[in-house]
């Protein structure tokens, strides 16, 4: 990459994702397993590498250990480099104490030293919460051709859902006129994807101004964008077409997994032209036995399938015994499902052992996030 | 660890010719996602050995591409690690393990290595041989050379002191002994010969027949469990394949499948490698389908070994037998008319 056009990506991976309940008790949201072998953070990281952006700062705060170990030197994403590569950025102590990241903009502000060292032309701000495949170079070209100071990637959402998102109001040339956070009466259905490109000098300027505003929440959407609009900087919206999903809730995480099984969802992991890279375990091939039955299922390596599985995503080293039935489930790594168990529309977190004849979920019902407590309660009630 | 390992990947296996036209036997795909050499390399690493020399035979690009600097086996070390030791003569391949002429070319590798003992092994024996245990037995027995055996068969792995190997390499011409295996077979005078009895999974892959048999045996749970031991994993160069997709209407039974494949047809008693595509209404029975093969609609295949990148046109019927499976060579395009 031409040094004059150097881009540094800053990936916000500190989110707790509390709406994902027990899945994020011990790990940060970007570390949540997805799609049979991935973690959410594989998507923005792979997008960076596939977009030829090879300098990535990963900002972590909540439960960072798993993420740090997972990313390591960045080898799976080809980010173990002499120049650039991946750098893990955690809150650190200074002369006047430890400063936790307080808001998305504040997290970047606290790492200005890293960015000053890198001295890029452009800064790409990403979040570690979304499942999507995106060529950031195309967005950068858009940013350049519009001579923008900041470009915000937007996606059209159904009008009736627009009030759940941060909405960008634009003029006909895609210039942003207003940012509305979760508007009750949305004027547009262009939702911010949490993907921003800033000219580095402008970003530095407005982060510094924002830092001195006492009642600021130090958020890109709520504070930095309005601040820049007020100062008449040129902000444009880049209309992204393609699959994008915020997997912030149990339901949306389940839906995104199910989207993999739908050939028309637009989410295709089998595209060799845009590979999603991931840290690979060394496991033997999957085994489907005489009694195994699979219909519309993703299966990863190391699994032994003896039961009946339909419309489900099966992670590595899962064992499904003969006589067990699964429908529309997401079964995370190393889960054991014993004989006679019957599960539908359930997310099964890693390492759980499902006892014999355990039943949960309705093929038409709500999405369930299984926990050890639910299993223990069931065992308790079965004894009585 | 007092042991350095030599993998002699230059042994000629004429009965595997169909699979070795474009690669050395060491890089023949096996068990869906491995190459033969993975088993030997993994045994070496699982035995705590950190210095390995690989003697390849031509054409070795495929092997080099596969093992690289040994990263997948944790052998990319500053100290010791993996050494690729090709020899200058193109026809260096021979019938026995541990050819002295080849080893001699890399005398400096042996002279420089710090380890006291050497194990010379091959990559056509798939096993869980523990070289650490073998070394203990070798030292205890007081033998000069120890051969690994199992069930009365030689596993063609040999252990000896490095100093003795160097002595062999200096004198083999006048002594008219041409390899370590040759020396052991002929029980050359003046040395003590020992055997190390290995109990556990093994398969000697030296012909299409033994390759097919060993592959099919992996479908038996007991066999499979004795090869894939959780505490002694088999390592390989990993590709970033997504999970395998079992599509609507597919049926897969009694089959081993690697990642990245898309299955719409019916597969029974088979080994399916990574990134394979099997389309609608196609039957695959007792087959070994290697990576990136595509089998179009309405095919009927039984007892077929399809090497990498084979394309089979829609409607093709190919029936081999258990005794004589049909081998499709790497990259072949099978057209319906041609097999008629």
């Amino acid at each position: 990459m031409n040094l004059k056009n150097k881009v540094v990506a800053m990936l916000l991976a500190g989110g707790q994702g509390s709406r994902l309940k027990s899945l994020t008790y011990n790990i940060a949201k970007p570390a949540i397993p997805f799609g049979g072998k991935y973690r959410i953070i594989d998507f923005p990281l792979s997008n960076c590498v596939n977009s030829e952006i090879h300098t990535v700062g990963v900002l972590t705060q909540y439960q960072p250990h798993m993420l740090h170990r997972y990313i390591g030197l960045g080898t799976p994403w080809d980010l173990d480099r002499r120049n650039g590569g991946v750098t893990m950025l955690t809150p650190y102590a200074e002369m006047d104490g430890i400063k936790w990241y307080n808001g998305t903009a504040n997290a970047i502000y606290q790492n200005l030293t890293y960015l000053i060292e890198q001295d890029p032309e452009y800064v790409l701000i990403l979040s570690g919460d979304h499942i999507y495949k995106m060529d950031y170079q195309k967005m950068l070209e858009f940013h350049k051709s519009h001579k923008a100071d900041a470009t915000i990637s937007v996606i059209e959402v159904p009008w009736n859902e627009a009030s759940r998102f941060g909405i960008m109001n634009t003029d006909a040339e895609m210039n942003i006129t207003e940012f509305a956070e979760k508007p009750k009466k949305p004027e547009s259905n262009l939702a911010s994807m949490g993907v921003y490109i800033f000219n580095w000098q402008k970003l530095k300027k407005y982060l510094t101004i924002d830092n001195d505003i006492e009642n600021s929440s130090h958020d890109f959407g709520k504070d930095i964008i309005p601040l820049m609009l007020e100062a008449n900087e040129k902000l444009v919206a880049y209309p992204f077409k393609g699959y994008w999903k915020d997997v912030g809730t149990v339901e949306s995480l389940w839906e995104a997994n199910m989207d993999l099984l739908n050939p028309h969802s637009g989410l295709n992991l089998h595209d060799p032209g845009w590979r999603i890279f991931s840290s690979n375990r060394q496991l033997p091939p999957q085994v489907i036995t005489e009694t195994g039955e699979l219909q519309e299922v993703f299966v990863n390596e190391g699994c032994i399938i003896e039961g009946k599985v339909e419309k489900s995503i099966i992670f590595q080293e899962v064992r499904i015994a003969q006589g067990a039935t699964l429908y529309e489930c997401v079964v995370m790594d190393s889960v054991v499902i014993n004989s006679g168990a019957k599960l539908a529309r359930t997310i099964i977190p890693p390492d759980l052992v499902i006892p014999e004849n355990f039943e949960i979920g309705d093929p038409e019902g709500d999405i369930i996030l299984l926990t050890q407590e639910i299993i223990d309660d069931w065992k308790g009630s079965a004894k009585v | 660890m007092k042991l350095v390992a030599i993998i002699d990947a230059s042994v000629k296996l004429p009965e595997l010719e169909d699979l070795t036209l474009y690669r050395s036997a060491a890089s023949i795909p096996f068990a869906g996602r491995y190459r033969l050499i993975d088993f030997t390399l993994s045994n070496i690493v699982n035995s705590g050995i950190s210095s390995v020399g690989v003697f390849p035979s031509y054409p070795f690009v495929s092997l080099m591409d596969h093992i690289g600097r040994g990263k997948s086996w944790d052998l990319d070390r500053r100290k010791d690690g993996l050494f690729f030791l090709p020899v200058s003569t193109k026809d260096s391949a021979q019938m026995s393990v541990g050819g002295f002429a080849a080893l001699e070319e890399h005398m400096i590798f042996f002279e420089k290595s710090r380890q006291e003992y050497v194990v010379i092994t091959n990559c056509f024996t798939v096993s869980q041989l523990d070289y650490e245990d073998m070394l203990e037995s070798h030292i205890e027995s007081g033998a000069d050379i120890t051969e690994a055996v199992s069930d009365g068969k030689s596993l063609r792995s040999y252990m000896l002191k490095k100093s003795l190997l160097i002595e062999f390499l200096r004198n083999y011409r006048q002594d008219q002994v041409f390899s370590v295996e040759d020396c052991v077979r002929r029980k050359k005078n003046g040395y003590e010969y020992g055997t190390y009895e290995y109990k556990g999974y093994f398969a000697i892959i030296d012909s299409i027949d033994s390759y097919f048999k060993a592959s099919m045996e992996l479908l038996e749970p007991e066999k499979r469990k004795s090869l894939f031991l959780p505490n002694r994993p088999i390592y390989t160069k990993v590709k970033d394949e997504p999970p395998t997709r079992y599509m609507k209407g597919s049926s897969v039974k009694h089959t081993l499948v690697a990642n990245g494949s898309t299955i719409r047809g019916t597969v029974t008693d088979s080994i399916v490698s990574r990134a394979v595509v099997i389309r609608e209404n196609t039957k695959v029975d007792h087959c070994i389908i290697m990576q990136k093969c595509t089998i179009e609609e309405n095919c009927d295949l039984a007892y077929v070994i399809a090497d990498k990148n084979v394309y089979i046109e829609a409607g093709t019927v190919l029936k081999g037998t258990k005794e004589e499976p049909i081998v499709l060579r790497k990259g072949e395009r099978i057209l319906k008319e041609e097999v008629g």
Side-chain angles (χ1 to χ4, degrees):
Chain A
M1 159 141 315
N2 188 339
L3 281 179
K4 238 181 112 186
N5 289 316
K6 186 173 170 182
V7 184
V8 170
M10 297 293 268
L11 175 48
L12 297 159
Q16 183 180 348
S18 51
R19 284 175 302 160
L20 286 160
K21 302 173 205 163
S22 64
L23 281 173
T24 55
Y25 286 174
N26 304 312
I27 56 172
K29 183 174 163 190
I32 287 179
F34 177 79
K37 71 173 280 192
Y38 306 94
R39 292 183 186 274
I40 296 172
I41 199 166
D42 289 336
F43 287 79
L45 279 177
S46 301
N47 286 343
C48 280
V49 177
N50 288 329
S51 304
E52 288 180 38
I53 294 167
H54 296 125
T55 307
V56 184
V58 179
L59 295 94
T60 60
Q61 173 157 284
Y62 173 78
Q63 292 283 8
H65 312 104
M66 165 78 233
L67 266 180
H68 284 234
R69 206 182 56 195
Y70 182 69
I71 292 173
L73 301 172
T75 313
W77 303 272
D78 229 357
L79 286 171
D80 49 337
R81 286 167 186 257
R82 208 175 284 279
N83 296 312
V86 70
T87 307
M88 303 304 286
L89 302 166
T90 48
Y92 53 90
E94 279 180 40
M95 290 305 287
D96 46 356
I98 300 174
K99 294 172 182 161
W100 293 104
Y101 295 158
N102 177 22
T104 50
N106 179 259
I108 305 291
Y109 176 79
Q110 292 204 39
N111 287 290
L112 280 183
T113 359
Y114 170 75
L115 284 168
I116 289 165
E117 244 168 54
Q118 294 294 335
D119 193 29
E121 193 82 10
Y122 306 101
V123 180
L124 170 67
I125 309 283
L126 301 171
S127 107
D129 304 354
H130 306 132
I131 300 293
Y132 67 118
K133 298 201 288 186
M134 180 175 179
D135 188 344
Y136 302 132
Q137 284 299 339
K138 284 192 183 146
M139 180 177 170
L140 183 63
E141 276 159 33
F142 184 92
H143 175 80
K144 283 188 210 164
S145 68
H146 281 72
K147 298 195 167 53
D149 296 301
T151 299
I152 296 149
S153 187
V154 292
I155 188 161
E156 276 186 52
V157 293
W159 278 96
N160 58 356
E161 287 179 28
S163 54
R164 285 176 40 222
F165 294 92
I167 293 294
M168 295 294 163
N169 299 328
T170 64
D171 65 16
E173 273 85 54
M174 295 310 279
N175 290 307
I176 295 169
T177 52
E178 195 193 358
F179 170 80
E181 176 72 16
K182 296 181 182 145
K184 282 205 180 81
K185 283 186 188 148
E187 289 169 39
S188 137
N189 66 336
L190 298 175
S192 166
M193 296 163 60
V195 176
Y196 310 88
I197 290 177
F198 288 94
N199 291 346
W200 160 227
Q201 293 307 330
K202 290 280 158 95
L203 176 67
K204 189 161 70 177
K205 178 179 167 188
Y206 288 99
L207 283 178
T208 312
I209 295 173
D210 170 72
N211 189 57
D212 294 333
I213 300 174
E214 214 162 278
N215 55 0
S216 170
S217 57
H218 307 302
D219 183 85
F220 274 103
K222 280 181 225 150
D223 305 294
I224 302 295
I225 303 301
L227 202 58
M228 288 181 80
L229 284 172
E230 215 172 283
N232 281 320
E233 300 287 3
K234 188 170 168 70
L235 272 65
V236 297
Y238 169 70
F240 172 76
K241 299 253 185 296
Y243 185 94
W244 177 84
K245 197 164 203 124
D246 182 345
V247 285
T249 60
V250 171
E251 288 74 22
S252 60
L253 179 66
W254 176 85
E255 274 168 23
N257 275 287
M258 290 303 126
D259 284 341
L260 288 171
L261 302 169
N262 174 3
H264 308 296
S265 69
L267 179 59
N268 176 15
L269 299 178
H270 285 68
D271 172 12
W274 202 271
R275 207 90 310 160
I276 302 302
F277 302 100
S278 183
S279 179
N280 290 287
R281 294 265 320 273
Q282 295 265 14
L283 296 166
Q286 49 202 266
V287 182
I288 318 302
T289 68
E290 210 65 66
T291 55
E293 268 182 71
L294 300 168
Q295 285 295 304
E296 294 180 82
V297 178
F298 265 46
V299 184
N300 195 7
E301 281 161 339
C303 290
I304 299 178
I305 315 285
E306 297 174 279
K308 189 176 169 187
V309 188
E310 203 180 330
K311 291 188 178 163
S312 297
I313 305 287
I314 315 290
F315 284 68
Q316 65 269 23
E317 286 196 295
V318 167
R319 310 200 52 156
I320 301 175
Q322 185 177 351
T325 329
L326 282 104
Y327 179 79
E328 293 191 340
C329 289
V330 177
V331 187
M332 295 187 179
D333 48 285
S334 305
V335 164
V336 177
I337 299 174
N338 283 301
S339 175
K342 207 172 163 186
L343 296 98
R345 295 204 159 191
T346 301
I347 296 180
I348 311 173
D351 302 311
L352 286 186
V353 177
I354 313 302
E356 271 182 35
N357 301 321
F358 177 84
E359 282 190 31
I360 198 164
D362 180 326
E364 257 134 56
D366 291 339
I367 310 310
I368 296 162
L369 173 63
L370 194 59
T371 60
Q372 188 59 49
E373 289 73 52
I374 297 177
I375 296 172
D376 291 343
D377 285 352
W378 179 86
K379 278 184 187 161
S381 67
K383 267 177 204 143
V384 179
Chain B
M1 189 66 186
K2 292 189 280 189
L3 205 50
V4 56
I6 296 299
I7 302 179
D8 185 353
S10 71
V11 181
K12 255 190 216 160
L13 300 161
E15 287 184 62
L16 273 172
E17 199 191 49
D18 281 327
L19 298 177
T20 54
L21 287 171
Y22 307 98
R23 59 166 85 90
S24 83
S27 53
I28 292 179
F30 186 68
R33 51 162 301 184
Y34 305 95
R35 305 293 182 123
L36 284 182
I37 198 168
D38 293 342
F39 297 88
T40 308
L41 268 176
S42 302
N43 288 352
I44 286 168
V45 172
N46 289 334
S47 302
I49 299 170
S50 56
S51 180
V52 188
V54 178
F55 284 79
S57 64
Y58 290 85
F60 58 62
V61 173
S62 143
L63 182 61
M64 251 180 107
D65 174 48
H66 182 68
I67 59 179
R69 290 282 294 132
K71 188 163 188 58
S72 302
W73 299 268
D74 237 351
L75 285 169
D76 54 334
R77 306 279 182 87
R78 261 172 216 278
K79 195 170 154 191
D80 291 334
L82 184 119
F83 297 87
F84 207 71
L85 307 168
V87 289
S88 55
T89 40
K90 238 187 167 179
D91 52 353
S92 63
Q94 49 160 41
M95 306 301 286
S96 65
V97 174
F100 292 139
L103 300 186
E104 188 191 18
E105 276 198 39
H106 291 283
M107 185 67 113
I108 196 155
F109 172 78
F110 298 102
E111 285 171 349
K112 275 177 101 177
S113 72
R114 301 166 293 114
Q115 289 81 0
E116 196 182 344
Y117 295 90
V118 186
V119 60
I120 298 172
T121 181
N122 63 74
C123 50
F124 52 84
T125 313
V126 177
S127 73
Q128 274 285 2
L129 191 57
D130 182 344
Y131 298 107
E132 200 173 6
D133 195 49
M134 184 174 172
L135 178 64
E136 248 172 64
S137 144
H138 174 70
I139 294 172
E140 213 169 280
S141 73
D144 293 304
I145 307 182
T146 297
E147 178 183 26
V149 296
S150 190
D151 263 2
K153 286 206 178 83
S154 172
L155 300 181
R156 295 166 82 179
S157 288
Y158 307 93
M159 202 171 276
L160 65 165
K161 271 206 166 135
K162 190 184 73 187
S163 54
L164 179 59
L165 179 67
I166 292 175
E167 198 182 304
F168 279 136
L169 295 181
R170 294 213 168 104
N171 304 326
Y172 75 95
R173 286 197 179 83
Q174 67 206 54
D175 291 353
Q176 291 289 302
V177 186
F178 295 101
S179 68
V180 179
E181 183 175 354
D182 188 31
C183 179
V184 171
R185 273 201 200 153
R186 288 162 51 193
K187 295 269 187 298
K188 200 181 150 329
N189 275 340
Y191 302 104
E192 289 279 330
Y193 297 92
T195 53
Y196 169 74
E197 184 72 34
Y198 161 76
K199 290 181 186 63
Y201 176 94
F202 79 97
I204 297 167
I205 314 279
D206 54 2
S207 64
I208 296 294
D209 184 50
S210 54
Y211 176 77
F212 188 74
K213 229 178 246 164
S215 298
M216 287 298 138
E217 272 181 5
L218 293 175
L219 297 173
E220 296 166 22
E222 289 315 310
K223 283 273 179 190
R224 197 170 56 237
K225 275 183 209 156
S226 60
L227 176 58
F228 295 110
L229 305 172
N231 52 347
R232 293 176 68 91
I234 309 299
Y235 303 101
T236 185
K237 179 185 173 187
V238 188
K239 301 276 180 157
D240 283 278
E241 294 289 353
T244 279
R245 293 184 284 188
Y246 297 84
M247 310 301 278
K248 201 172 187 171
S250 70
S251 168
V252 180
K253 304 252 180 208
H254 207 228
T255 291
L256 234 65
V257 189
N259 265 358
S261 293
T262 304
I263 304 179
R264 296 171 196 271
T266 299
V267 185
T268 44
D269 302 289
S270 295
I271 313 270
V272 178
S273 243
R274 60 179 187 85
V276 166
V277 176
I278 299 174
R279 295 205 197 278
E280 290 86 348
N281 292 318
T282 279
K283 274 194 234 160
V284 173
D285 176 51
H286 283 95
C287 291
I288 300 168
I289 310 295
M290 296 190 199
Q291 56 263 47
K292 295 187 177 168
C293 283
T294 299
I295 308 172
E296 295 286 3
E297 299 90 351
N298 303 312
C299 292
D300 191 356
L301 273 57
Y303 296 97
V304 171
I305 300 174
D307 202 335
K308 251 179 101 166
N309 279 319
V310 165
Y311 172 85
I312 301 177
E313 199 186 46
T316 305
V317 178
L318 280 174
K319 302 263 176 163
T321 62
K322 193 177 176 183
E323 291 68 35
E324 252 179 90
I326 295 170
V327 183
L328 306 175
R329 289 176 177 178
K330 186 173 162 185
E332 258 191 285
R333 287 179 72 82
I334 309 299
L335 306 176
K336 187 183 161 192
E337 281 70 32
E338 289 173 7
V339 270

